[in-house]
Amino acid sequence: MMASFAQLGNDLYTGKRSFDIVGRRKTWMVAAAGLVLLSIILLVTVKLNPGIEFRGGSEFTVSGVATTEQQPAYDAVDSVAEGQQPRVSQVGGDSIRVQTEELTDAQTTDLKEALAEAYGVDVNSVTSSFVGPAWGADVTTKAIQGLVIFLVLVTLVMALYFRHWKMAVAALIALLHDLVVTVGLYAGVGFEVTPASVIGFLTILGYSLYDTVVVFDKVRENTEGVLEQTRYTYAESANLAVNQTMVRSLNTSVVGLLPVASILFVGSFLLGASTLRDIALALFIGLIFSTLSSIFIATPIEVALRQRDPAIAEHTATVLAKRAAAENAAGEDDDAPVTVGSYAGGLRAGAHRGQAAQPVRRKSRR
């Protein structure tokens, strides 16, 4: 299996085999737009489930319980603060976490005793803490400020590095797609959003951008001087770049997902550590969508933007006209080779400089 996968990567890089990803860009864009629209609908209707750090309230942790049933916790809260809707969850194998709205000091003391009695543990095994909503608001404000600064700097750096603002715009669209879809999935499933989740969301931005930059670097290499020849269009050159980097993107994602999945498993099922689970969950979802967007969204959008350039549009029309003329001539001549359908790949494949691109070390004088 690994040998066939390696062979597939080699065939994609050399252009022997090719997937017409850029040619089907409308399909990917419609699918991406549908996911973003669905995510926005979920964010507006279902809304995010903010953790206690963002909404404020009191939190109790009962350790060393013999049973992890949640009903005793609900009964204990109802006996102290009637009418409250607590959030009860299991932490690890022998702990129960109870979150309520803000309680007075007297209610906090009474609820600790009620929980200790309900689960048959000493009152010292019940810990309590209070989180004010101002802390969560401060975290949200800092996260938004960091996101805006990040996007501005990334736009400038990418525009300077690739020497074309349309690549920066395409990368930002793919990045925002990953972020909105991940957050929308959180809203749809009802996952609790904690500061650790926010850290995971922001980490996704870096990974998504890294994967896109690798693909765009290859696109720039393949499309350099594309207007000076008439065999392939800009879109076909960019499509070859996506195929050449596809296996690398998949391998990198699998390598990245394995440790994240391990952290998610350990955090969720073994340790019951909510911080590990929250950040790993955001990363796990974000890594998957980042990989998909770097292949199916970033380059197709960049090609759609570049096709509006008059020089590229004229070059594309010239290439297609010459190709049609050649095919018509081949159709009239039965002995001429037929090459229809072979244009999705093959351009400049393996035409990189290889070792010639490496810096030359000067020989030292002795």
Side-chain angles (χ1 to χ4, degrees):
M1 180 178 178
M2 292 303 296
S4 60
F5 193 67
Q7 184 61 44
L8 173 63
N10 184 62
D11 291 348
L12 291 175
Y13 190 86
T14 59
K16 185 177 180 181
R17 299 173 63 180
S18 181
F19 299 106
D20 193 10
I21 295 172
V22 173
R24 298 177 180 174
R25 55 183 176 272
K26 291 184 179 178
T27 303
W28 317 130
M29 290 182 188
V30 169
L35 283 176
V36 171
L37 180 62
L38 178 62
S39 301
I40 293 175
I41 292 175
L42 290 173
L43 288 170
V44 173
T45 56
V46 182
K47 297 183 179 179
L48 290 172
N49 178 21
I52 192 173
E53 295 86 354
F54 293 101
R55 66 176 189 276
S58 299
E59 180 174 290
F60 300 84
T61 302
V62 188
S63 304
V65 298
T67 175
T68 55
E69 293 182 3
Q70 299 181 359
Q71 190 57 43
Y74 286 109
D75 296 338
V77 173
D78 191 58
S79 66
V80 174
E82 187 177 0
Q84 284 221 14
Q85 299 295 328
R87 297 184 180 185
V88 182
S89 57
Q90 179 180 342
V91 180
D94 61 350
S95 297
I96 291 291
R97 184 178 62 188
V98 182
Q99 295 179 343
T100 67
E101 298 175 5
E102 181 179 356
L103 300 177
T104 63
D105 292 341
Q107 287 177 320
T108 300
T109 303
D110 293 342
L111 184 54
K112 288 178 65 176
E113 295 174 351
L115 288 172
E117 182 179 357
Y119 285 97
V121 297
D122 188 81
V123 70
N124 293 325
S125 300
V126 183
T127 60
S128 64
S129 60
F130 170 74
V131 180
W135 189 85
D138 186 55
V139 171
T140 304
T141 303
K142 297 294 185 185
I144 294 175
Q145 290 177 350
L147 177 62
V148 172
I149 294 173
F150 173 81
L151 293 178
V152 171
L153 292 178
V154 160
T155 304
L156 292 175
V157 170
M158 292 196 66
L160 292 174
Y161 179 72
F162 290 112
R163 302 168 187 172
H164 209 291
W165 62 269
K166 291 182 179 178
M167 277 194 170
V169 172
L172 284 180
I173 292 175
L175 186 149
L176 291 176
H177 162 271
D178 302 339
L179 186 62
V180 172
V181 171
T182 303
V183 176
L185 186 60
Y186 258 73
V189 179
F191 294 146
E192 195 173 69
V193 179
T194 65
S197 304
V198 175
I199 294 172
F201 295 153
L202 296 178
T203 306
I204 292 170
L205 303 181
Y207 183 83
S208 174
L209 200 62
Y210 163 75
D211 225 18
T212 302
V213 165
V214 172
V215 179
F216 277 2
D217 216 22
K218 196 63 181 175
V219 171
R220 186 179 63 170
E221 179 184 325
N222 282 8
T223 57
E224 184 179 1
V226 70
L227 300 181
E228 300 170 1
Q229 53 81 43
T230 56
R231 292 188 61 197
Y232 296 93
T233 65
Y234 183 91
E236 290 164 350
S237 306
N239 187 72
L240 176 61
V242 177
N243 280 273
Q244 288 177 323
T245 55
M246 184 183 298
V247 172
R248 188 218 66 87
S249 298
L250 295 176
N251 284 337
T252 305
S253 301
V254 170
V255 172
L257 281 172
L258 287 176
V260 172
S262 301
I263 295 173
L264 182 61
F265 178 79
V266 171
S268 299
F269 301 105
L270 297 183
L271 300 180
S274 58
T275 302
L276 284 178
R277 182 196 60 196
D278 295 342
I279 193 171
L281 188 60
L283 289 176
F284 189 81
I285 299 170
L287 285 176
I288 295 175
F289 282 103
S290 297
T291 304
L292 295 177
S293 70
S294 67
I295 297 174
F296 296 101
I297 297 178
T299 303
I301 289 178
E302 194 270 343
V303 170
L305 294 174
R306 294 297 294 271
Q307 293 280 35
R308 297 176 180 274
D309 290 349
I312 292 180
E314 182 181 356
H315 175 264
T316 300
T318 301
V319 171
L320 295 180
K322 286 192 173 183
R323 187 177 299 168
E327 291 174 354
N328 289 334
E332 295 174 357
D333 184 0
D334 295 337
D335 297 330
V338 178
T339 56
V340 178
S342 62
Y343 304 109
L347 174 69
R348 298 168 62 85
H352 56 79
R353 297 181 62 192
Q355 293 184 350
Q358 301 301 317
V360 178
R361 179 179 298 176
R362 293 183 178 178
K363 295 182 179 180
S364 59
R365 296 180 178 178
R366 296 183 179 177

